[in-house]
Amino acid sequence: MSTATVQKRGFGATLWDYLTTVDHKKIAILYLVAGGFFFLLGGLEALIIRIQLIKPDNEFISAGLYNQMFTMHGTTMIFLAAMPLIFTLMNIALPLQIGARDVAFPFLNSLGFWLFAFGGVLLNLSWFFGGAPDAGWTAYAPLSVQSPGHGMDFYVMGLQISGAGTLIGGINFLVTIVNMRAPGMTYMRMPMFTWASFVTSILILFAFPALTVGLILMMFDRMFGANFFDPTMGGNVIIWEHLFWIFGHPEVYILILPVFGLFSDVISTFSKKRLFGYSAMVFATVLIGFLGFMVWAHHMFTTGLGAVANSIFAVATMAIAVPTGIKIFNWLFTMWGGNIRMTVPMLWAVGFIPSFTIGGFGGVMLAVAAADYQYHDTYFVVGHFHYVIVGGVVFGIFAGITYWWPLLFGKVLNEKLGKIAFWPFFIGFHMTFFIQHILGLMGMPRRYWKFQPNESLDIGNLVSTIGAFLMAIGTIVFIINIIYTALKEEKCGTDPWDGRTLEWTVPSPPPFYNFKQIPLVRGLDALWVEKVQGNGEMTPAEPLGDIHMPNNTFIPFMISLGLFIAGIGFIYQVDNKQWLIVGIAGLLITFISMFVRSMKDDLGYHVHKEDLEKGAGSK
Amino acid sequence: MSAEELKQLKPGQGPHEPEKATLEGKNKFLGFWFFLGGETVLFASLFGTYLALKNSNLDGPSTQELFGLELVFIMTMILLTSSLTSVYAMYHMKNYDFKKMMIWLGITVLLGLSFLSLEVYEFYEYVMHDGHTFTSSAFGSAFYTLVGTHGAHVIFGLCWITSLMIRNAKRGLNLYNAPKFYVASLYWHFIDVVWVFIFTVVYLMGKVG
Amino acid sequence: MKGWMGKSRIVLLFSFLMLFLAGCGDPQLSALQPKGEGAQASYDLMMLSVIIMAGVGAIVTIIYVFVLIRYRQKKGKEDYVPKQVEGSKSLEIVWTAIPIVLLIILAVPTVQKTFMLAETTPSEENKEDAVVVEVTGNQYWWHYSYKYKGEEIQTSQDLYIPTDQRVYLKLTATDVIHSFWVPTISGKMDTNPGHNENEMFLNAYEEGLYSGKCAELCGPSHSLMDFKVVAVSAEEFDQWFNDMKNADPEATPETASAQEGKELFEDQNCIACHAIGNSPAAVGPNLTSFGDRAEIAGIMDNNKENLIEWLQHPENVKPGNKMTGKYGNTEAEKPLTDDEASKIADYLLQLQPSEVTPEDAKEEK
């Protein structure tokens, strides 16, 4: 256990290693695999949606199945694809960027992943057990409460479990950033990605509990006879809308902020310049995070909150355009005067700027409450949020995965294939979603199974569907690139991109303890400072000594498994009370696992100085 | 580092703040504060829901008819006292007086248990005599969800503190378990604060209007 | 990959936008061809925001294209290390202040129009003559209960309104949330079940037949919950209102087939859900003026063939509707024989109490 020797191991041993790992780099790979799988699944659902809408009055899939399809597309993409892929990036880069050996709570990191994974599996099991959720990813009551079958029950339980995982992850990153920074790494020297992750984690912390409560209320209504959303029993359906959007609006910033940070790092690295207006960027990030909590009701302009509330939320929403604009201009001026290398991550970044700008324009237009009465719940909204989520988050995920692939697997993804993947995706993206703005204005509401033949919506929908297939081609090329790189590309060694920040001071992939000696940080862009002023290597902040590492553990898996089983039990106890036994058994597994965790001392182990000196896993 | 953490500490032997003496302890301390931040939003959402639905009692009793303040006042006093006793426990922890810490924690647990039994009694009365149940109206659902979530927190807190006491009864205080005791007592304070809000928002405001 | 592609793309996108905003889409459906007070207000704001955004977009595009062409790494310059610029206070102030000014320009009319669109109760002097309609959303149809000059009538699906005046709507729903949207006349408003009643007004400038849609997901047939707004002159509206008020639900149909259809309608207990006349009860759509409906089930041309299809296979036409399985003899697949369906159709199609029909509105356009 205490030696760092790497030997060839069998499949079983590797599997067991990943099931029990608490290493943030391996957890990043777990998030990548699971998130990537759900991304492909959600993409498939998107293609089915677009095929259904390729022509008017199409009968490709039934109305009920169509509703399940877009509900699962939205839910999967937000909770099970975008969130974990963002967590991939945070896990792989964040501890390295601040010069830490791991996150603050390695155990909780593992627990967060397994909760997310089991929640995602539970949600998707609904396909095989009588139908998926069908009330939209927003699950507005009372449609969601009245939805027959168990689809919405799977939604409630699946999201509750995976949401708990996300919350745990958020707290973990917060503490990591506050407590685990290397000497000299002051707040105002942190890379933008770390800053953005910090603000994102705060948003997770304060936004997810609102969703938790919403889901609890819905669970009580659907499974235990409560009346929160039943108007005939005194309930009020608007409560769900508020709770959902108090969570839901910060959620979009949770997704986009890390990507802002990532692009700041990428643009700075590949322009060979320090980030223009670093402190303004930090300020803008914090401001966006703060305002993100003040604007949830702009999703509810047509709910009937009244002119006063609508006006206040409209103006507050417009205000977000200011810090976002600051960011766009700072990126442009980072490139200004630079020496721009058009690598694949930079290509995504360059594609992101105009795409996200259009998304931002759509956002300002939607903020105009009196005009939103026309946009609301139409394809204009669908176009807008795909511009920010695909043009922002997904572009960012592609960029980030490509950028940090060396840290994950020790190789640089093939550049040529990377560019071939970019273009169809980029062109397809604009084809798919720009036209949707227009379709919305032409009178096409969202979540429409069919449009009628004589409504002049045919061409727009056809173009949109063709674009979706181009995006699929781009994604497939990206996967081919991963396989090709794994088989053909050479190991890349340390610092393949001529980086500026701490994650590029360690070998690719990094040893499991990250830093043999914790580095001393002497400025913003710590590695760049050394490259300019020193010998290109970090000065250690500590003498070589024993490194304390946490033990692997299977308990997070068991805790999550218990909740998964309990979820199934609670879903089916509606039909037959005997299922309650399963529910309670599941909870027992969870609580016993937690009890074992807190009773058994887990002190970790040490990597000895002598082994480090022998150069185990390090250069 | 690790083995040292397990060394039993006697009065005057350890660092000034044993709960924050190690990096793990510091992380735990800060992480738990963040967690309580999330819990605050959770309870705020439940309070919001309750306020929106507290007059939706249909044919059932209204808040004025339902609530009596005597019992709830006693419960409030018990819980407030338990918060105080947990402060004493932490005071003794910082002085490495393990035995006194255990005594005060024991008193805290007993007070918590009596609070819980009074709450069970209160709910029993509502259900059996007032027809005020979880499913009788939206008010009922909101009331039991808010107060019940708090009750569930009390139960969890009691289990947690008791487990810690049993596990560490023999080996005394060390730098490994001091943060554990400390965050458990933080949790207990949080429960107490939430109850103060429940007492004000649910019972007092319910009684007044 | 190259700078000019970015430029041409953005130019293309904006020309696209302009093309569509110049007037496109179905004139009965498109929010880009406003024909009512609310739609016009939204459209004006839309134009204002597009102009502002286009201005900002042009500046971003110019900088973007310039930077990508000018500062792209040149051959042989791989090792060039640019000056590490920290930032610029004055530039930061510029791109903070200018957007704030632009947003204020946008925010002022936004607030004005938001309050204007919230004037949803008739003024004191207007109170007597105002048309007030209680709109109720149902899975998957719309019910309207008119209050006008102290009288009340009921109808469903086709909403008749007089032009050039505000018609005040009170919106609720019976089952789940729907959203009432007539893009050419006004923006949408949700219909909430329970006590959260909403209000809005419709003010159509021109006579015409306008498409309405449900804009909040309400179940499988959400996309099939279409309705029509029939905007007619004030005189025609008065005439229609009187005709509806005086419609005789008991009137004997003229043809024998329709008479048999009427009996079947009663035998099959259709009347339990569908009122004919001014009974306010409405489990299913009110059928008083069914023969005049612009569409059957909201989505099919109003003719006998389609009506028979709807009566015999409701589930095929509107999945999840609440009529399926409520009538008929044996098989759920085809609850009525061809003959029965034909007779009921004859009966329903002759329910034409008024001279004023959607056809009038269509022709006058």
Side-chain angles (χ1 to χ4, degrees):
Chain A
M1 205 56 157
S2 64
T3 57
T5 45
V6 183
Q7 57 223 62
K8 286 272 172 204
R9 286 179 301 183
F11 174 74
T14 311
L15 182 70
W16 180 249
D17 184 36
Y18 273 94
L19 288 179
T20 59
T21 187
V22 294
D23 179 348
H24 71 96
K25 298 173 288 300
K26 284 182 179 160
I27 289 173
I29 292 172
L30 288 173
Y31 269 118
L32 177 66
V33 171
F37 169 76
F38 285 123
F39 179 74
L40 296 179
L41 197 63
L44 196 66
E45 285 154 1
L47 288 181
I48 293 170
I49 292 170
R50 281 320 316 171
I51 293 172
Q52 168 63 23
L53 293 176
I54 195 169
K55 60 174 189 182
D57 208 15
N58 198 1
E59 292 280 355
F60 176 63
I61 56 172
S62 72
L65 187 58
Y66 182 79
N67 286 8
Q68 295 175 24
M69 210 54 81
F70 68 68
T71 301
M72 285 301 281
H73 167 69
T75 314
T76 303
M77 283 303 198
I78 297 282
F79 292 99
L80 308 181
M83 286 301 294
L85 289 171
I86 293 287
F87 270 29
T88 303
L89 303 180
M90 288 198 202
N91 261 305
I92 190 64
L94 196 150
L96 291 167
Q97 281 198 332
I98 60 172
R101 292 220 164 88
D102 206 326
V103 291
F105 307 107
F107 177 89
L108 289 186
N109 203 10
S110 161
L111 178 62
F113 170 76
W114 288 111
L115 284 172
F116 144 72
F118 275 107
V121 170
L122 182 62
L123 179 57
N124 276 281
L125 275 185
S126 59
W127 285 115
F128 306 102
F129 295 98
D134 59 357
W137 85 281
T138 53
Y140 272 21
L143 182 68
S144 49
V145 178
Q146 293 171 10
S147 167
H150 286 300
M152 288 312 297
D153 300 333
F154 279 100
Y155 171 94
V156 166
M157 297 316 272
L159 288 193
Q160 193 70 283
I161 294 171
S162 75
T166 307
L167 184 66
I168 287 173
I171 293 176
N172 201 351
F173 290 127
L174 277 177
V175 178
T176 306
I177 294 172
V178 175
N179 276 358
M180 310 274 285
R181 282 167 292 127
M185 179 60 84
T186 59
Y187 282 105
M188 290 312 274
R189 284 177 182 174
M190 294 197 306
M192 271 317 290
F193 178 74
T194 301
W195 251 115
S197 302
F198 183 64
V199 176
T200 278
S201 301
I202 293 175
L203 295 189
I204 289 176
L205 177 62
F206 291 118
F208 267 76
L211 176 71
T212 306
V213 169
L215 291 172
I216 288 175
L217 303 190
M218 185 162 290
M219 176 179 82
F220 284 168
D221 261 24
R222 280 191 63 95
M223 301 177 205
F224 300 101
N227 306 304
F228 292 103
F229 308 124
D230 182 354
T232 61
M233 294 296 283
N236 189 334
V237 298
I238 309 300
I239 292 173
W240 170 267
E241 292 184 30
H242 279 295
L243 287 175
F244 187 85
W245 288 118
I246 287 173
F247 148 77
H249 195 78
E251 167 70 12
V252 297
Y253 293 104
I254 290 169
L255 295 175
I256 199 70
L257 284 179
V259 170
F260 282 174
L262 159 82
F263 279 129
S264 302
D265 288 1
V266 165
I267 289 171
S268 156
T269 301
F270 294 109
S271 303
K272 252 192 192 179
K273 267 184 73 195
R274 67 174 276 167
L275 187 67
F276 193 87
Y278 171 83
S279 38
M281 288 295 248
V282 171
F283 171 73
T285 307
V286 174
L287 194 61
I288 291 173
F290 178 75
L291 288 174
F293 275 103
M294 307 289 154
V295 296
W296 79 88
H298 69 216
H299 298 267
M300 300 165 62
F301 280 151
T302 68
T303 297
L305 302 178
V308 177
N310 281 359
S311 299
I312 292 170
F313 279 99
V315 174
T317 305
M318 287 179 193
I320 295 187
V322 176
T324 315
I326 292 176
K327 283 187 166 287
I328 298 275
F329 284 110
N330 276 306
W331 286 320
L332 290 175
F333 276 78
T334 304
M335 293 196 279
W336 187 292
N339 187 6
I340 299 172
R341 274 182 296 156
M342 209 54 87
T343 58
V344 173
M346 188 62 177
L347 194 57
W348 286 107
V350 166
F352 153 82
I353 291 177
S355 309
F356 192 83
T357 307
I358 295 173
F361 290 166
V364 175
M365 290 176 74
L366 281 159
V368 179
D372 179 73
Y373 299 156
Q374 291 286 23
Y375 312 137
H376 182 85
D377 260 352
T378 68
Y379 263 81
F380 187 92
V381 175
V382 178
H384 161 69
F385 69 68
H386 281 94
Y387 256 84
V388 290
I389 292 188
V390 180
V393 180
V394 176
F395 280 24
I397 287 168
F398 278 128
I401 288 177
T402 313
Y403 185 53
W404 284 319
W405 197 262
L407 298 181
L408 286 160
F409 298 105
K411 290 177 175 181
V412 177
L413 281 170
N414 184 282
E415 282 280 293
K416 196 164 238 168
L417 279 170
K419 285 174 186 173
I420 295 174
F422 170 81
W423 284 105
F425 195 93
F426 181 76
I427 295 166
F429 158 73
H430 284 286
M431 270 179 79
T432 310
F433 298 115
F434 193 81
I435 200 91
Q436 291 187 351
H437 291 93
I438 317 283
L439 283 172
L441 296 177
M442 281 161 54
M444 185 165 168
R446 73 193 277 206
R447 295 166 171 171
Y448 259 34
W449 169 53
K450 278 180 177 178
F451 55 96
Q452 302 300 323
N454 48 3
E455 295 179 329
S456 309
L457 302 171
D458 307 17
I459 295 174
N461 275 296
L462 179 63
V463 170
S464 186
T465 302
I466 295 170
F469 277 91
L470 280 176
M471 290 166 76
I473 291 171
T475 310
I476 290 169
V477 177
F478 191 85
I479 296 167
I480 292 172
N481 191 6
I482 291 176
I483 298 166
Y484 177 87
T485 303
L487 297 177
K488 298 275 177 179
E489 290 287 333
E490 302 289 321
K491 291 267 175 197
C492 64
T494 309
D495 193 15
W497 301 114
D498 189 12
R500 306 171 68 86
T501 39
L502 280 182
E503 76 266 34
W504 303 114
T505 62
V506 292
S508 304
F512 63 95
Y513 46 77
N514 291 356
F515 296 93
K516 209 193 294 186
Q517 289 161 288
I518 296 293
L520 178 70
V521 176
R522 300 200 294 159
L524 178 68
D525 292 341
L527 178 57
W528 181 258
V529 170
E530 302 300 330
K531 279 179 179 171
V532 173
Q533 299 180 353
N535 55 4
E537 276 187 13
M538 300 306 297
T539 319
E542 59 176 13
L544 194 60
D546 289 359
I547 296 174
H548 179 237
M549 296 301 292
N551 287 325
N552 281 8
T553 167
F554 193 53
I555 292 175
F557 186 93
M558 290 305 291
I559 291 177
S560 312
L561 178 70
L563 286 178
F564 172 80
I565 293 170
I568 292 174
F570 285 123
I571 289 169
Y572 283 100
Q573 57 84 27
V574 177
D575 303 335
N576 183 343
K577 286 291 163 205
Q578 287 177 347
W579 278 93
L580 270 177
I581 299 169
V582 177
I584 291 164
L587 284 182
L588 273 180
I589 295 177
T590 298
F591 281 120
I592 290 171
S593 307
M594 283 166 74
F595 187 77
V596 170
R597 163 71 185 170
S598 75
M599 290 304 108
K600 221 181 86 192
D601 294 339
D602 184 3
L603 300 168
Y605 65 97
H606 282 86
V607 186
H608 294 295
K609 191 174 154 187
E610 298 73 36
D611 295 323
L612 288 171
E613 274 168 347
K614 266 184 257 160
S618 169
K619 66 169 185 176
Chain B
M1 197 195 316
S2 49
E4 268 168 53
E5 278 177 36
L6 285 181
K7 205 178 90 188
Q8 191 179 345
L9 296 169
K10 291 274 162 19
Q13 283 179 341
H16 176 54
E17 285 181 319
E19 74 277 9
K20 285 187 278 186
T22 62
L23 180 62
E24 284 79 4
K26 268 188 217 141
N27 287 347
K28 207 165 260 179
F29 175 78
L30 183 66
F32 203 79
W33 269 108
F34 282 129
F35 172 73
L36 292 183
E39 287 264 78
T40 307
V41 178
L42 183 117
F43 276 103
S45 304
L46 287 174
F47 273 110
T49 307
Y50 175 80
L51 287 176
L53 296 176
K54 71 178 179 137
N55 294 322
S56 303
N57 51 317
L58 300 181
D59 306 332
S62 68
T63 53
Q64 281 99 329
E65 293 158 5
L66 193 63
F67 299 141
L69 288 182
E70 301 81 1
L71 182 70
V72 184
F73 182 75
I74 296 169
M75 287 162 70
T76 308
M77 284 302 124
I78 291 175
L79 209 58
L80 281 176
T81 314
S82 80
S83 216
L84 185 69
T85 55
S86 78
V87 171
Y88 284 147
M90 287 310 104
Y91 170 79
H92 290 300
M93 183 191 84
K94 290 189 185 195
N95 291 332
Y96 300 93
D97 192 337
F98 183 69
K99 204 173 244 165
K100 281 193 180 147
M101 180 190 88
M102 292 291 270
I103 291 170
W104 283 110
L105 281 180
I107 295 172
T108 306
V109 168
L110 287 178
L111 287 169
L113 276 174
S114 45
F115 170 86
L116 205 60
S117 22
L118 286 178
E119 184 156 76
V120 170
Y121 168 74
E122 184 204 355
F123 284 6
Y124 177 83
E125 287 290 308
Y126 291 154
V127 171
M128 301 317 272
H129 295 132
D130 300 307
H132 172 61
T133 70
F134 185 61
T135 53
S136 62
S137 66
F139 164 56
S141 306
F143 171 81
Y144 285 108
T145 303
L146 172 60
V147 184
T149 304
H150 175 264
H153 277 70
V154 173
I155 295 174
F156 187 84
L158 289 176
C159 294
W160 186 6
I161 296 177
T162 317
S163 311
L164 275 178
M165 288 170 69
I166 296 170
R167 172 67 183 92
N168 296 298
K170 288 218 177 100
R171 64 176 174 180
L173 199 64
N174 55 41
L175 291 184
Y176 177 74
N177 62 24
K180 294 186 177 209
F181 280 113
Y182 191 81
V183 293
S185 91
L186 265 186
Y187 185 76
W188 194 256
H189 286 307
F190 176 77
I191 292 171
D192 197 43
V193 172
V194 171
W195 179 259
V196 171
F197 279 94
I198 289 181
F199 179 67
T200 317
V201 173
V202 176
Y203 294 100
L204 282 182
M205 279 167 61
K207 201 69 197 165
V208 173
Chain C
M1 201 177 296
K2 294 187 177 64
W4 60 266
M5 287 194 81
K7 183 181 182 180
S8 64
R9 177 170 33 73
I10 286 173
V11 170
L12 194 76
L13 290 180
F14 274 96
S15 49
F16 240 112
L17 185 66
M18 286 308 154
L19 184 76
F20 277 103
L21 292 185
C24 195
D26 179 354
Q28 292 183 3
L29 180 63
S30 175
L32 299 174
Q33 302 187 38
K35 295 182 186 67
E37 192 183 354
Q40 189 65 49
S42 299
Y43 184 79
D44 293 344
L45 284 169
M46 196 187 302
M47 284 302 113
L48 176 65
S49 52
V50 166
I51 290 166
I52 295 175
M53 295 301 122
V56 178
I59 295 166
V60 171
T61 309
I62 290 166
I63 302 174
Y64 177 78
V65 172
F66 173 77
V67 160
L68 285 184
I69 295 174
R70 173 72 180 75
Y71 297 109
R72 182 98 189 259
Q73 191 170 71
K74 311 276 181 313
K75 275 240 156 62
K77 291 258 193 159
E78 284 81 2
D79 294 331
Y80 165 68
V81 177
K83 192 163 165 253
Q84 303 292 309
V85 187
E86 199 171 316
S88 158
K89 268 222 179 84
S90 40
L91 276 176
E92 300 284 355
I93 290 169
V94 168
W95 60 57
T96 308
I98 293 177
I100 289 178
V101 172
L102 292 176
L103 287 174
I104 290 172
I105 294 173
L106 189 57
V108 172
T110 296
V111 173
Q112 273 174 350
K113 293 283 166 68
T114 304
F115 276 88
M116 185 274 276
L117 290 174
E119 292 162 8
T120 50
T121 37
S123 61
E124 275 306 316
E125 64 265 30
N126 193 11
K127 216 166 193 172
E128 298 299 306
D129 297 332
V131 182
V132 178
V133 189
E134 287 170 11
V135 176
T136 313
N138 303 273
Q139 285 169 326
Y140 302 95
W141 57 279
W142 298 88
H143 186 75
Y144 314 115
S145 180
Y146 283 73
K147 290 194 175 56
Y148 179 46
K149 293 186 173 159
E151 312 260 17
E152 215 175 296
I153 64 160
Q154 312 289 326
T155 183
S156 297
Q157 286 299 71
D158 292 349
L159 180 69
Y160 287 72
I161 57 168
T163 53
D164 275 325
Q165 56 173 288
R166 288 181 178 181
V167 174
Y168 298 94
L169 308 184
K170 296 180 185 307
L171 306 122
T172 55
T174 54
D175 33 42
V176 300
I177 303 174
H178 305 272
S179 193
F180 179 90
W181 188 31
V182 192
T184 44
I185 304 182
S186 184
K188 61 187 75 62
M189 186 56 90
D190 290 359
T191 65
N192 301 312
H195 303 295
N196 300 294
E197 188 184 77
N198 282 331
E199 293 176 341
M200 66 182 281
F201 66 79
L202 291 180
N203 183 1
Y205 291 150
E206 298 169 22
E207 293 185 32
L209 186 62
Y210 302 107
S211 296
K213 295 204 169 267
C214 176
E216 181 62 63
L217 177 64
C218 57
S221 284
H222 167 52
S223 63
L224 307 176
M225 200 176 149
D226 292 11
F227 60 98
K228 296 288 178 207
V229 169
V230 185
V232 293
S233 67
E235 300 78 45
E236 282 176 309
F237 178 78
D238 282 350
Q239 188 194 338
W240 173 81
F241 190 86
N242 279 323
D243 291 343
M244 286 297 286
K245 197 178 65 195
N246 298 326
D248 176 13
E250 298 303 327
T252 315
E254 282 170 20
T255 66
S257 165
Q259 279 178 27
E260 285 180 51
K262 183 167 191 282
E263 282 158 28
L264 278 166
F265 187 81
E266 282 152 15
D267 290 347
Q268 293 287 349
N269 214 15
C270 305
I271 205 85
C273 298
H274 293 285
I276 297 177
N278 279 324
S279 152
V283 181
N286 182 299
L287 301 179
T288 310
S289 58
F290 189 84
D292 289 333
R293 288 271 162 84
E295 313 264 331
I296 289 175
I299 43 169
M300 297 190 295
D301 289 342
N302 189 349
N303 59 42
K304 192 173 168 187
E305 197 187 333
N306 283 341
L307 181 53
I308 290 173
E309 166 70 9
W310 171 226
L311 290 171
Q312 288 192 322
H313 304 289
E315 194 62 21
N316 291 357
V317 176
K318 265 189 172 176
N321 78 82
K322 293 187 176 163
M323 190 162 81
T324 304
K326 293 276 163 62
Y327 55 93
N329 310 317
T330 44
E331 0 160 28
E333 274 290 291
K334 205 174 180 183
L336 298 172
T337 65
D338 294 352
D339 183 51
E340 288 170 330
S342 167
K343 283 171 179 163
I344 294 179
D346 281 337
Y347 167 61
L348 293 176
L349 291 172
Q350 58 84 46
L351 292 170
Q352 293 176 312
S354 178
E355 299 282 297
V356 183
T357 68
E359 286 304 312
D360 296 332
K362 230 190 248 174
E363 277 158 23
E364 278 168 61
K365 241 172 58 331

